[in-house]
Amino acid sequence: MIAIAASLISFVLSAKMSQAELQNERTFWSLASACFLGFGIWAMHFVGMLAYRLPLAVSYDPLITLLSVLPAILASFVVMSKAPLNANKLWLRSIYMGLGIGSMHYIGMLTMQMNAVMAYDGWYFLLSIVVAVGLAGVSLKTHEYVSTSQLHIFKQIVPAIIMGCAISGMHYTGMLSMHVFSLPTTQILQEPETKNLAYLVMLMVMLFAFTILILIELRTRTLLLERYNAVLSTVQEGVFTFNNAGVIEFSNPVALSMFGLEEFATQTLHIRDLVSPPKNANAPLLVALKKAAQNNSVQSVPLMFEGIRRNGKVFPLSLRISVLPGINIAYVCTVKDLSDVKNQEVFAQTVFDALPNMLLVKHADTLSISHVNDAGSKILGKDKASLVGLSDFDIFGEKEAQRFVADDKALLQNPEKQNINEYDVTIDGEVRYFETKKIVIDDNYGNPQYILALSEDVTKWREAQHTLRTLNRRMSMAADAAHIGVWEWDMTTNELIWDDWMYKIYSVPKDRFNDNFSDWERTVHPEDLDKVKSKIEQAITQKTGFHATFRVRVSKDKYRHVRADGRIEGNKMFGINVNITDQVEAEEKIRKLANSDTLTGLANRHALSTYMYNELPRLERSDKFCVLLYLDLNRFKPINDQYGHAVGDEVLIEIAQRMQMLCRVYDIAARVGGDEFIVVITELNEGFNVEDLKTRLARSIAQPITTSHGEFSVGVSIGHATFPIEGKSLEELKHLADERMFERKRISHIT
């Protein structure tokens, strides 16, 4: 049993040696393996000697007893570590092992001191060596098979049993070869005394085994800890861990330096002593961190927080968090100090702002604005913060935006990745001209990341050119001016004189107009008449110019928009009328586009906010309810990725139409993201069933959609929030509905 146990432990440690990465580790495991096997052979010998009883007084030489273990350890070290040049050959290793076992046995026999003569039978002597070599070879071969086959560690018991048989077989075969002959002075004992030395040897072997096992375990743990600390010490980012209660448990040197901490102080710190949550955070810091650790999709994106140094100063940092494995819940965070990055951003923004020309930076993938300088903010009439994230469609008219987007897409396909163009842009009703140079900025992998546009206002130069062309085309412009209606009104007699274009603008035949001011009044829309007359009276009273826009009737149900300008000279007022119907309708279309999604025609975020701003107070006054449904399409992204955005747009348009059909005239459906929608069902009574609403909407969306590439089906995850029970503002309702939608989507992914 001792031989088998020692062999098993030796083989296990030998496997450890083959897995070690460092040379000194291999040496350590080889020596440990050899010591176990050598001391096992030694212990087996002396325990076996307890079974050998002579009717003589027998004692053991202590020095030779201790030295007898050396051949076994040396042979075991040579065999297990393959130290010699050709020790990997099986036959050579078998001989080494057999000779080591035999040497230990016969040297151990020399330790016996007795008043008798001990002799050996030559054939049995050789047979014991053959048994040791042969069984050792079988054992080593079995051990190699087990190791290379990567079987379970307990399979090492098979070669261990064979090696144990080799050790004990050699021992008892060797004992058969030994003969003891008495001398004339030999004293025969009736009750031979068992010597205590063998027991002492067993005790020493057990102590050795226990000690070396403890050392091996301690070394393994120490090595792992040293490697772990070495890795954390060389990491350029700060690393710290905290438990489920938020108490800091560990910090690497980078984190200690980053937060200005001493090593001993970390045991008394809480996570909130190091990290400050954003001002607009919707949840406590610890809750937000735990939620981020559980959310695998968030782990790829660093969280942005403010760090708190020991001296109270704050600094920007990015943080990634994961759950540590183990029974006790704990979390590990890697943090990066963004102070230098922030300083670089401030420096770059300062340089941008110092430029006299407008500078815009767009994301290459979304074509939305990421940076803008002061000149750009001033020209566009919006502050920088509100411009960030907007697209061309959010700032300019549809045609202008389409032209800009088409130009940006062409630029991204251009091998030179830069161009210079001149654009005419309408800003606050004024056409301005810009000479713009655009450059594509790539990331580290050569993929387009940003588009930088530097624009110079050349309006004055273009106006000068226009003035020059005007002088050369005065006659043609005068002809065009004939399309403006000219009128004269005698304030004393109320006589009103029109030219030919006035009759065309008002669609009034000359024979039906009596040249009287009252005839003109009858053509003006009733809702606009009082306002126009008020401006006329104001101009007369204050002796100022007259300017007004109003509607005139051109048929039974059709009205035309007219702009009138005039000035007073004596008792008469002279002026012109211009048909501005096209302009007004275009402006109304622009306003409609500003409040609707360009793809689906549904309301956009701005329209939704305006609707809820007016609707919620009205519902509160009338003691009515409304429910906000937050929808996120399922299985839409694969369609978009595989068949392209055109097919994805067809799907979105069809789904938008289905939502619109389910809405009543006073409800609203809005698109708030790529495949995210909000539907508000209003004018509900207390007993309404929101689940029926969600089911109806989900069934409608789930119906097959026919596109240019065939039929597709998408699902939807819906979250809801009810006013005023669960929220009293749009943001509160959206937040709760979004959370419920996210939870529904998470459950659907699990199931």
Side-chain angles (χ1 to χ4, degrees):
M1 296 303 296
I2 290 175
I4 292 174
S7 301
L8 177 61
I9 295 175
S10 178
F11 287 151
V12 171
L13 295 180
S14 175
K16 280 282 190 180
M17 175 196 69
S18 63
Q19 297 173 0
E21 299 178 356
L22 304 177
Q23 183 60 42
N24 60 341
E25 288 302 304
R26 296 191 187 99
T27 303
F28 174 81
W29 290 116
S30 298
L31 183 59
S33 175
C35 288
F36 264 104
L37 188 55
F39 272 91
I41 298 169
W42 188 55
M44 182 273 145
H45 172 81
F46 285 102
V47 172
M49 292 304 298
L50 291 176
Y52 184 69
R53 302 294 181 88
L54 287 173
L56 304 172
V58 180
S59 63
Y60 295 86
D61 185 288
L63 180 60
I64 299 177
T65 299
L66 293 175
L67 291 177
S68 64
V69 76
L70 294 180
I73 293 177
L74 180 60
S76 299
F77 182 76
V78 170
V79 171
M80 303 311 291
S81 65
K82 305 178 183 179
L85 183 61
N86 294 319
N88 58 337
K89 294 182 179 179
L90 180 62
W91 65 268
L92 184 58
R93 294 169 61 211
S94 301
I95 292 176
Y96 279 134
M97 194 71 248
L99 292 177
I101 298 172
S103 299
M104 187 275 127
H105 172 78
Y106 289 109
I107 293 175
M109 296 302 294
L110 292 177
T111 64
M112 296 180 64
Q113 298 177 351
M114 66 185 87
N115 189 18
V117 176
M118 185 168 53
Y120 292 94
D121 183 292
W123 291 106
Y124 278 114
F125 178 87
L126 291 176
L127 180 60
S128 68
I129 300 299
V130 171
V131 169
V133 173
L135 290 178
V138 174
S139 174
L140 293 174
K141 181 62 178 178
T142 307
H143 169 62
E144 287 183 355
Y145 172 77
V146 169
S147 300
T148 55
S149 298
Q150 296 182 349
L151 297 178
H152 197 275
I153 195 66
F154 286 106
K155 294 293 183 179
Q156 298 282 2
I157 193 67
V158 176
I161 292 174
I162 300 174
M163 183 62 77
C165 292
I167 297 169
S168 57
M170 183 275 149
H171 173 82
Y172 291 109
T173 305
M175 292 302 294
L176 283 177
S177 70
M178 186 188 74
H179 300 283
V180 179
F181 301 96
S182 61
L183 298 173
T185 58
T186 300
Q187 182 181 0
I188 304 300
L189 300 176
Q190 297 297 326
E191 294 292 337
E193 181 183 354
T194 301
K195 299 299 182 180
N196 293 328
L197 180 60
Y199 294 107
L200 180 61
V201 170
M202 288 197 315
L203 177 62
M204 294 303 295
V205 170
M206 296 301 292
L207 289 175
F208 162 77
F210 183 72
T211 302
I212 199 167
L213 282 175
I214 292 177
L215 291 176
I216 290 172
E217 181 65 20
L218 288 177
R219 180 165 181 80
T220 303
R221 292 177 180 269
T222 302
L223 180 64
L224 290 175
L225 183 60
E226 288 178 353
R227 289 184 176 181
Y228 177 70
N229 289 332
V231 170
L232 291 181
S233 297
T234 56
V235 169
Q236 297 300 314
E237 295 182 350
V239 179
F240 63 83
T241 63
F242 61 89
N243 60 21
N244 199 39
V247 177
I248 304 297
E249 294 180 333
F250 170 82
S251 294
N252 72 337
V254 176
L256 292 174
S257 175
M258 184 184 303
F259 292 100
L261 299 172
E262 299 294 337
E263 186 174 1
F264 65 86
T266 58
Q267 297 297 327
T268 59
L269 285 175
H270 193 274
I271 182 64
R272 59 174 171 268
D273 297 325
L274 302 183
V275 180
S276 175
K279 296 180 179 178
N280 58 348
N282 296 321
L285 173 65
L286 190 57
V287 175
L289 290 176
K290 290 180 180 180
K291 183 177 180 181
Q294 299 294 337
N295 190 348
N296 293 330
S297 64
V298 176
Q299 291 178 10
S300 59
V301 180
L303 306 174
M304 299 302 171
F305 292 98
E306 285 188 343
I308 306 173
R309 291 195 171 92
R310 191 68 170 177
N311 57 11
K313 293 184 177 180
V314 297
F315 63 96
L317 61 80
S318 65
L319 181 146
R320 297 178 186 269
I321 184 169
S322 299
V323 180
L324 285 172
I327 299 176
N328 297 323
I329 299 178
Y331 304 88
V332 59
C333 298
T334 59
V335 293
K336 182 181 292 185
D337 188 346
L338 300 181
S339 299
D340 291 340
V341 176
K342 188 68 175 179
N343 293 336
Q344 292 175 7
E345 289 183 354
V346 172
F347 174 78
Q349 189 66 49
T350 303
V351 173
F352 290 165
D353 289 338
L355 295 175
N357 299 329
M358 178 171 66
L359 186 143
L360 293 176
V361 180
K362 299 179 181 178
H363 294 286
D365 51 352
T366 62
L367 299 182
S368 61
I369 296 175
S370 65
H371 295 81
V372 61
N373 66 346
D374 287 343
S377 174
K378 182 178 179 181
I379 291 173
L380 297 177
K382 298 178 180 291
D383 61 271
K384 291 188 289 186
S386 63
L387 285 169
V388 173
L390 299 182
S391 66
D392 292 320
F393 291 97
D394 299 320
I395 302 174
F396 307 106
E398 182 178 8
K399 292 183 178 180
E400 293 174 339
Q402 289 177 345
R403 182 177 50 170
F404 296 153
V405 169
D407 182 68
D408 289 340
K409 290 181 178 179
L411 174 63
L412 293 173
Q413 302 297 325
N414 187 350
E416 297 182 359
K417 296 187 176 182
Q418 61 177 338
N419 62 24
I420 299 178
N421 290 314
E422 185 174 299
Y423 302 98
D424 56 302
V425 183
T426 302
I427 301 176
D428 294 333
E430 177 186 359
V431 178
R432 301 175 70 172
Y433 299 88
F434 295 92
E435 185 177 81
T436 303
K437 180 175 183 179
K438 294 183 178 180
I439 300 175
V440 177
I441 302 175
D442 294 336
D443 59 15
N444 295 332
Y445 303 99
N447 300 319
Q449 187 174 14
Y450 297 104
I451 297 177
L452 185 147
L454 184 63
S455 302
E456 180 182 1
D457 191 344
V458 294
T459 304
K460 297 297 183 183
W461 179 71
R462 288 296 302 270
E463 288 178 349
Q465 285 186 322
H466 180 71
T467 301
L468 181 61
R469 287 194 297 268
T470 300
L471 294 175
N472 295 329
R473 296 181 313 191
R474 181 172 294 176
M475 293 303 297
S476 61
M477 290 182 65
D480 291 338
H483 294 275
I484 300 174
V486 180
W487 52 268
E488 176 182 342
W489 174 43
D490 189 327
M491 294 180 288
T492 304
T493 63
N494 255 359
E495 182 182 10
L496 182 62
I497 301 174
W498 284 0
D499 70 350
D500 293 339
W501 270 103
M502 287 292 294
Y503 293 105
K504 293 180 180 180
I505 291 174
Y506 284 81
S507 296
V508 175
K510 289 185 178 181
D511 56 356
R512 294 185 182 180
F513 189 73
N514 296 322
D515 296 335
N516 192 280
F517 185 81
S518 58
D519 291 341
W520 169 80
E521 287 182 319
R522 285 192 291 270
T523 65
V524 179
H525 194 289
E527 295 179 1
D528 297 342
L529 181 59
D530 291 339
K531 181 179 64 175
V532 176
K533 292 178 68 175
S534 175
K535 289 187 176 182
I536 293 175
E537 292 174 0
Q538 181 180 359
I540 295 173
T541 303
Q542 300 179 1
K543 302 296 183 180
T544 58
F546 163 66
H547 307 282
T549 58
F550 49 90
R551 290 166 291 176
V552 296
R553 187 193 302 271
V554 295
S555 64
K556 182 178 180 181
D557 298 318
K558 184 178 180 180
Y559 287 86
R560 182 174 293 157
H561 295 269
V562 174
R563 187 186 74 231
D565 298 283
R567 61 188 181 89
I568 297 175
E569 288 186 9
N571 61 347
K572 291 185 178 182
M573 179 180 290
F574 302 89
I576 61 173
N577 277 184
V578 180
N579 181 1
I580 60 170
T581 303
D582 292 340
Q583 176 183 342
V584 171
E585 290 177 352
E587 290 175 352
E588 290 178 353
K589 184 177 181 181
I590 291 173
R591 282 194 295 271
K592 181 179 180 181
L593 289 174
N595 288 281
S596 62
D597 179 63
T598 56
L599 175 65
T600 63
L602 297 180
N604 58 15
R605 292 177 181 270
H606 179 266
L608 177 64
S609 298
T610 304
Y611 171 86
M612 296 296 281
Y613 177 82
N614 296 318
E615 183 68 8
L616 295 184
R618 188 189 68 80
L619 291 173
E620 192 168 14
R621 290 192 301 270
S622 60
D623 199 24
K624 295 283 188 178
F625 297 81
C626 78
V627 60
L628 183 144
L629 304 176
Y630 204 113
L631 297 85
D632 190 350
L633 300 183
N634 301 328
R635 304 188 301 276
F636 171 76
K637 189 176 185 300
I639 297 173
N640 213 32
D641 292 344
Q642 184 174 356
Y643 298 96
H645 293 289
V647 176
D649 290 347
E650 292 180 48
V651 173
L652 292 176
I653 292 171
E654 175 62 26
I655 289 175
Q657 291 175 354
R658 295 179 183 181
M659 291 183 186
Q660 195 67 57
M661 290 176 63
L662 291 175
C663 291
R664 298 164 299 180
V665 66
Y666 37 80
D667 299 330
I668 187 171
R671 183 185 179 202
V672 295
D675 60 347
E676 295 181 355
F677 301 82
I678 287 179
V679 176
V680 179
I681 307 298
T682 186
E683 285 292 323
L684 298 174
N685 295 318
E686 187 174 0
F688 74 94
N689 191 327
V690 68
E691 293 302 327
D692 289 344
L693 293 175
K694 292 164 63 176
T695 301
R696 268 199 348 248
L697 192 53
R699 286 177 178 172
S700 176
I701 293 175
Q703 294 298 317
I705 299 172
T706 302
T707 69
S708 58
H709 283 270
E711 282 192 352
F712 299 96
S713 294
V714 298
V716 65
S717 297
I718 306 177
H720 75 278
T722 305
F723 171 88
I725 300 172
E726 296 175 319
K728 293 194 175 182
S729 68
L730 174 60
E731 293 304 319
E732 291 178 356
L733 296 172
K734 281 173 58 180
H735 178 72
L736 178 57
D738 184 32
E739 284 189 344
R740 288 176 173 171
M741 179 275 293
F742 179 84
E743 179 64 19
R744 180 62 184 169
K745 181 175 286 290
R746 185 184 68 82
I747 293 173
S748 64
H749 283 318
I750 293 175
T751 57

